[in-house]
Structure formats: structure tokens, C-alpha cells
Amino acid sequence: MTRSRTAAVLAVAAALPALLTGCAAGGDVTGSARAASRATPVTRPSGDAATVGASEPATRDASAARPVRSPAKPVRVPAGVTAGYAVVDVTTGKTVAQRQAHHRFRSASVVKILIATDYLERHRGTIPARDMALLTPMLRGSDDDAATALWRRGGQGEIVRRMARRIGLTETAPPPAAKPGFWGYTAISAADIALVYRYLLRRAEPRVRDFVLANLRKASQCARDGFDQFFGIPRAVPRPWAIKQGWSGYGAVPPVRCTRAKATSYRIGAVTISGNPVDFGRPVLHTTGVIGDRLIMVVLTLQPSGASFTQSAQRVTKLARDLYLSVA
């Protein structure tokens, strides 16, 4: 064999693996991309909340594939509003936007996430029908009577103490000693509620995670007390999302009645818990949840005294939208 022929054969042999690899990749996805997709499966809770532990593929919105920008510049908070917010990248656990994230607010109905999670972690096996009839409407429709029943059975403030110890919450505390039955007076912060969602996504048992998030993904537009709870995240960002909203201080009758409502508004002024004042007088409106498989968003607000629910909802929705656009 001549030197020229030998060189030609060696050149072909050297190129052959690359040619074969190119043929194997084929189609519209490379072999490495396939491997990456297999290594990072995405699941979401089953749509059937009664089937604890089931999962189904998540529906991605167009922004879900984009990386989260970090850090984000603070967004404008409307005049007269006190806001604490935190946005967390689900994958990295990093906070990509925050403002007064450790400021304490009264929880209103956001505490219902803790009530449900505590119940599920204390009860194993099949959920009794009578308890399912409390848990499901409490998470989906923010049912206050259901929350009160579970709050009393769980030891009231002990629910909050147990969950704070388990998750590592530092600003979350039970209601004032004078109001032990008022679960909505639980003290929370945006940073702590973001930790609660991260706990559900990353550390909670699958049966707990799937039950809670499946119900939050099926949140109804009209809450059991007649208020429209599709403010903030539901109207500000694309689906899919799982939400738990909170409101207090707007009276018993919503501006637009979705269902027959029965609610009571309590006002007791400001109370100091562990040196950090919590305002129980001004109206509060909170929007919290998981957006797609990318973000945890928590926006807690104190609204101006005498503010209407409609105006407050518009302010919170714009704030959530601006915040989402700052990181999306």
C-alpha cells in the first residue's frame, strides 16, 4: 500500500465516528438534549386531588423555557401600600426579586396552606371523606368554616409552631394570645411563605405535595365567602399556576357577589409579636403561589385604610404583573 493510500484510509477512519454520531443524533433533538431531558423530568400534581401521590406532566407556558434573570430591580409599589414580596427560582432556590421580604403581615387565608400541610403530615393513609370535605374547599375556595374546624382540631397555634419548626420559618408565629381562634391573625412574611412553597416542592412527601398543589391548581375564581380571588397572580401571569390568596378587612359583602357569602371582618389594630409589629387594622390583600415549574411568587400587602376590595385587587394585580415581567 502506498503512503498516499494509507493516509487516505486513516483519514476516513478518523472521520467515521463523527459521521456515525451525526447520523445517530438525527431529527430535531440532539442526543445530549435527549439525555438532559431524561435527567430533569418535570412533574406536577394530579388533577384529581383525591388521588394522593399521583402526578402528571406539567403544561409549560412559553416563558417556562427561558432562564430566570437575576437579580431583578425593585418594582414600583403603589402609594399608600406596604408591600413585602419575594420571587424564588424553583430550580436553584435563589431569590431573584425581593422587597421587605422579612416584614411581617397578618396571614389572612394564606395560613390555610400550613393548616392543610400540618394535617396531612400528622395523618397517614386514606383521607376520611369528612376530612376531605374540609380540606378540598379550604384550599380551592378558601372556605373559612373548614379552616376553623381544622384549626381547632389541630391545636390552633400549635399548627403554626409545628410547621415553623419543621420548615425553618423565622417570622411566622401564631395569632396573639388574646385571639387564639383567629387563624387569619397568624404572622407571616414573604420570605417564610416562599420557604413553605419550596418545602412543598422539594422536601415534603409526594402525597403531601401532590394533594396540596393539586388543589391549589384548581383554585376557584369565586371563593366560598363570595369574593373574587382571581387577583394578583391569576390575572397577572400565564398558566399554569397554583395559588393561595388572602384578604381581610373588606367587610362581609364583596363588591361583586359570586356566591352566597357569609364572612366577618375583625379589626383589632396593631399588635407586637416578638418585637416585630403586625398591623391588624388596615386591609390586607395577598397573592402567593407557584408559576409553572419555574417560579415561586409571594406578594403580601397592607392596603390604605378604607380601600375598596376592587381597587386593592387592581393594585396587587399590577404589582404582580410588574414583578413577573421583571424576572421572566
Side-chain angles (χ1 to χ4, degrees), residues 50-65:
T51 307
V52 181
S55 296
E56 64 182 25
T59 302
R60 293 176 179 267
D61 60 79
S63 64

Side-chain angles (χ1 to χ4, degrees), residues 127-169:
I127 300 174
R130 67 186 182 92
D131 292 349
M132 187 71 76
L134 297 174
L135 289 163
T136 300
M138 181 183 71
L139 291 173
R140 296 186 188 185
S142 206
D143 188 293
D144 290 344
D145 292 338
T148 298
L150 292 168
W151 178 256
R152 290 171 178 168
R153 284 168 45 186
Q156 301 186 130
E158 287 304 311
I159 293 173
V160 177
R161 294 186 184 94
R162 283 192 295 266
M163 295 309 301
R165 287 193 299 268
R166 179 179 292 269
I167 300 174
L169 309 177

Side-chain angles (χ1 to χ4, degrees), residues 38-122:
R38 287 195 296 269
T40 56
V42 178
T43 60
R44 59 176 278 192
S46 166
D48 183 0
T51 307
V52 181
S55 296
E56 64 182 25
T59 302
R60 293 176 179 267
D61 60 79
S63 64
R66 296 199 299 270
V68 177
R69 292 202 301 262
S70 175
K73 293 181 179 180
V75 300
R76 180 182 175 275
V77 174
V81 173
T82 301
Y85 62 70
V87 181
V88 176
D89 184 320
V90 169
T91 302
T92 66
K94 292 182 178 179
T95 300
V96 296
Q98 65 178 322
R99 176 191 176 102
Q100 295 195 95
H102 299 283
H103 184 86
R104 278 176 157 179
F105 297 80
R106 73 182 186 274
S107 68
S109 291
V110 175
V111 73
K112 292 169 184 174
I113 306 174
L114 296 181
I115 296 173
T117 303
D118 177 75
Y119 170 92
L120 293 167
E121 293 191 335
R122 289 186 297 106

